[in-house]
């Protein structure tokens, strides 16, 4: 049973819903597809490959997990958005594989703002340094389309809101500094099942929602 409509009813206008379908079988994705969902998020390349092959071609597949550079080649032909770019090395590999298939792949830079040590991503200082270095401007098959982040996994809503607010402020800063003339740099991917309402208060344009739609995952 897919709770797509209930979740959709709570999404602000102007915010896009990425249905995070990782670990759920193809039949469940098809059910959401038949209810009109077209954007699905997956976090493992092998699983994504199998689902992409089995489901209709008008689905927009978003890669939301940590992506190893050596796996980019498998998804380059069809991926619509890569959410969690966390190194220049990965960006350079996406450039190489996108060029091979004559595509330009939209990518989000993953910002590390949560308290947890284990989360991937650029700190704001690292992200600014990478943008300042400017090599990304040479990557003609990569389109930097915005930022992605995950807030700390905590019940402390004030902390979660402070982190999303920080990400939003940082987005505005780099937007004006590096992307003022680039309308494509416009996406803010933050908010998951437990915190997307807070994320929408702080500028989210894409929310990545799994368990609230599909139920708990069995790993
Ligand atoms: C799994 C996952 C989600 C969705 O999480 P839910 O709590 O099930 O909504 C969102 N973003 C990323 C990066 C994920 O890995």
């Amino acid at each position: 049973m897919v709770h797509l409509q209930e979740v959709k009813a709570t999404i602000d206008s102007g915010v896009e819903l990425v249905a995070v379908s990782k670990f759920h079988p193809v039949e469940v994705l098809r059910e959401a597809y038949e209810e009109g969902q077209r954007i699905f998020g997956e976090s493992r390349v092998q699983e994504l490959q199998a689902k992409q092959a089995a489901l209709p071609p008008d689905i927009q597949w978003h890669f939301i997990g940590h992506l190893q550079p050596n796996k980019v080649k498998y998804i380059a032909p069809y991926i619509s958005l890569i959410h969690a770019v966390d190194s220049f090395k990965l960006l350079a590999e996406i450039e190489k594989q996108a060029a091979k298939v004559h595509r330009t792949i939209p990518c989000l830079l993953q910002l590390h703002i949560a308290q947890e040590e284990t989360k991937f991503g650029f700190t704001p200082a690292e992200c600014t340094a990478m943008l300042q270095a400017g090599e990304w401007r040479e990557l003609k098959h990569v389109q930097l389309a915005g930022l992605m982040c995950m807030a700390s996994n905590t019940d402390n809503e004030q902390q979660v809101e402070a982190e999303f607010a920080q990400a939003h402020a940082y987005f505005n800063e780099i937007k004006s500094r590096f992307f003022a003339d680039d309308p494509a740099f416009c996406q803010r991917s933050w908010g998951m099942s437990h915190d997307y309402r807070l994320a929408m208060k702080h500028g989210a344009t894409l929310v990545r929602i799994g368990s609230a739609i599909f139920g708990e995952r069995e790993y």
Side-chain angles (χ1 to χ4, degrees), residues 36-209:
Q37 184 63 23
R38 291 295 179 272
I39 306 177
F40 290 87
E42 289 283 335
S43 61
R44 295 190 308 183
V45 168
Q46 236 188 338
E47 183 179 345
L48 171 55
Q49 290 284 90
K51 288 174 174 173
Q52 192 268 340
L55 286 160
D58 62 336
I59 289 179
Q60 297 166 43
W61 294 101
H62 287 198
F63 197 83
I64 63 166
H66 179 63
L67 181 57
Q68 288 169 334
N70 64 358
K71 302 257 175 86
V72 173
K73 57 178 175 286
Y74 300 113
I75 63 173
Y78 62 83
I79 200 76
S80 329
L81 182 63
I82 297 175
H83 282 240
V85 173
D86 59 358
S87 69
F88 185 79
K89 183 179 174 222
L90 176 57
L91 214 51
E93 181 63 20
I94 295 168
E95 165 68 21
K96 184 175 149 194
Q97 299 302 334
K100 275 192 193 164
V101 294
H102 309 289
R103 295 190 66 216
T104 299
I105 299 181
C107 294
L108 307 180
L109 299 173
Q110 182 177 7
L111 202 58
H112 177 115
I113 44 157
Q115 300 288 318
E116 285 112 81
E117 272 300 312
T118 54
K119 297 262 164 82
F120 293 104
F122 294 99
T123 64
E126 288 164 350
C127 190
T128 300
M130 198 267 285
L131 293 171
Q132 187 81 55
E135 287 168 277
W136 57 276
R137 294 184 193 277
E138 313 297 313
L139 309 180
K140 300 302 180 200
H141 301 85
V142 164
Q143 179 175 67
L144 292 186
L147 296 178
M148 175 268 201
C149 77
M150 282 194 257
S152 295
N153 187 10
T154 169
D155 291 335
N156 182 341
E157 296 201 346
Q158 275 179 335
Q159 184 184 337
V160 170
E161 285 206 43
E163 291 175 0
F164 288 142
Q166 189 194 342
H168 194 187
Y170 181 69
F171 174 92
N172 289 337
E173 179 193 322
I174 60 172
K175 173 76 185 167
S176 63
R177 232 178 121 182
F178 301 102
F179 300 97
D181 302 325
D182 181 1
F185 191 88
C186 63
Q187 299 288 7
R188 296 176 292 272
S189 169
W190 42 84
M192 308 171 36
S193 292
H194 65 284
D195 61 11
Y196 72 93
R197 288 175 185 80
L198 304 177
M200 292 190 301
K201 285 169 72 177
H202 297 283
T205 60
L206 286 167
V207 289
R208 310 177 309 267
I209 302 182

